[in-house]
Amino acid sequence: MTIADPSLGRIVSGRQQPSTPAHAPAREPYLRMSWTDPETGAVGHLVVDTLVSGLATGGTRMRAGCTLREVEDLARGMSNKTATFDLPVGGAKGGIDFDPKDSRAYGVLTRFCEAMRPWLDRHWVTAEDLGVPQHLIDDVFDDLGMGQSYHAAISRSADPARTTDRVRAGLHATAPGGPLGDVIGGYGVAQACLAATEHRGWDVTHTTVAVQGVGTMGGGAAWYLHDAGTRVVALADALGTLYDPTGLDVPALLETRNEYGEIDRDRVPASVHLLPREAVLSANVDILIPAAVSYAITADNCDGVTASLVVEAANAATTPDAEAGLTRRGIAVLPDFVANAGAVAWAWWLLLGYVDDDPAVSFERLGAEMRNRVSGLLYSWDLGERPVRAVAHAAMGQRPMYAEIHIP
């Protein structure tokens, strides 16, 4: 056990075996670390699954009930994402068991980052995740004198000031649907859906979609799918499901969201049906996008899924037994480490100078990369009975270690 500065809380690291993860690992993660906040008793976790070039990347989430098992699953997923997109970095994740709506949440996040500072200074590149928007974690990093949450990578660059300017310009560039840094992940999910639509020969304008979650990932995916001409017929937030079989006015509804990603029910048209939150999973649609919480589709509810394609915009959205059941029914589950990896891929392209603050350049690159991967996976999946996830794992191949990484 390692004791940090007592003012920062208690940190425990080790190789203890957690409960069985959602997708059973073949190896142990590089590091597990847990921390207890001295002021609130909140518990936070860091899991570094892999280190590549001495770096690992993955967001920090905050939600009541967040567990070490969950963070470990997510860290493993980050390793899969960076491998899928051939990024010169490993996978990690942070998670805090605390309600992000609590007035003390900013202090908890600040103390967690301060406790994890040895990793955030040199090895762990973090970003937004569930309950922690990018602007909030950037404010914490600024308060702690690290400037921006990509600090560990930026500090390695040839010109940290120039790299910081490039990162900030890219994150805040104005794109259709919102700031580029907020919408790029959802754009990638939408491109994954459109690639699947093309692969299956569906007419985009007759393709129906249901989205669970209207945060940056789910909201962005819904916006770009609506913009492409698909019919988004169901949107679910924490308050329930909005349903209109003729198609929802996605941009208008998203405009009414509050800071917690909840749509203002007073501004929902009378023609829209107000259904229970869980109804989105059983909506009669072609594509279901779980974009809210992990483990949303389980053995208990997967029989209600009628969509022929599930696209995981949330991390670890489908449990293994649910995925097996869906696969047996001929329902393809496009795994998170492909479908929602656009955000992390884009962030590293921005760090490495492959893209800049021009949204058109970012959209063109991400769209092409996502279409190639998804069409190839679905083609291979159509030839066999394995889950799409197994096909994607097989396609990863061996990772180079990137002994040197050049960030301009």
Side-chain angles (χ1 to χ4, degrees), residues 17-238:
Q17 182 64 40
S19 55
T20 303
H23 296 93
R27 52 169 174 73
E28 286 280 281
Y30 183 88
L31 171 82
R32 299 185 188 95
M33 184 178 293
S34 294
W35 163 88
T36 301
D37 180 30
E39 295 191 22
T40 65
V43 176
H45 310 285
L46 166 64
V47 176
V48 178
D49 184 64
T50 52
L51 275 180
V52 175
S53 309
L55 290 169
T57 192
T60 297
R61 67 172 42 192
M62 180 183 288
R63 73 170 191 88
C66 184
T67 66
L68 176 61
R69 166 192 160 175
E70 176 182 343
V71 177
E72 185 172 340
D73 280 355
L74 298 172
R76 188 178 309 109
M78 289 304 304
S79 291
N80 290 335
K81 291 179 188 181
T82 60
T84 297
F85 279 82
D86 195 27
L87 303 175
V89 61
K93 204 74 175 183
I96 305 171
D97 180 3
F98 199 72
D99 183 356
K101 294 183 180 181
D102 191 300
S103 60
R104 301 168 294 171
Y106 187 83
V108 172
L109 180 61
T110 300
R111 290 187 292 276
F112 174 77
C113 289
E114 193 169 5
M116 300 298 159
R117 183 155 186 169
W119 279 91
L120 291 168
D121 258 336
R122 296 181 56 82
H123 304 291
W124 177 26
V125 178
T126 194
E128 68 173 345
D129 203 275
L130 183 69
V132 181
Q134 186 65 41
H135 70 83
L136 190 70
I137 199 162
D138 280 345
D139 287 347
V140 167
F141 269 67
D142 195 44
D143 288 347
L144 295 177
M146 291 187 285
Q148 204 275 337
S149 77
Y150 299 178
H151 170 80
I154 290 172
S155 64
R156 295 185 179 210
S157 69
D159 187 337
R162 183 177 61 189
T163 302
T164 299
D165 289 343
R166 181 173 68 248
V167 166
R168 285 180 169 157
L171 287 169
H172 299 293
T174 300
L180 182 56
D182 288 350
V183 302
I184 192 69
Y187 176 83
V189 173
Q191 290 299 305
C193 293
L194 293 172
T197 300
E198 182 178 354
H199 172 78
R200 295 197 164 181
W202 296 344
D203 182 338
V204 169
T205 61
H206 291 102
T207 299
T208 54
V209 181
V211 184
Q212 180 200 43
V214 291
T216 54
M217 191 69 75
W223 196 98
Y224 286 107
L225 285 168
H226 177 273
D227 187 61
T230 67
R231 270 195 296 142
V232 179
V233 301
L235 284 176
D237 60 11

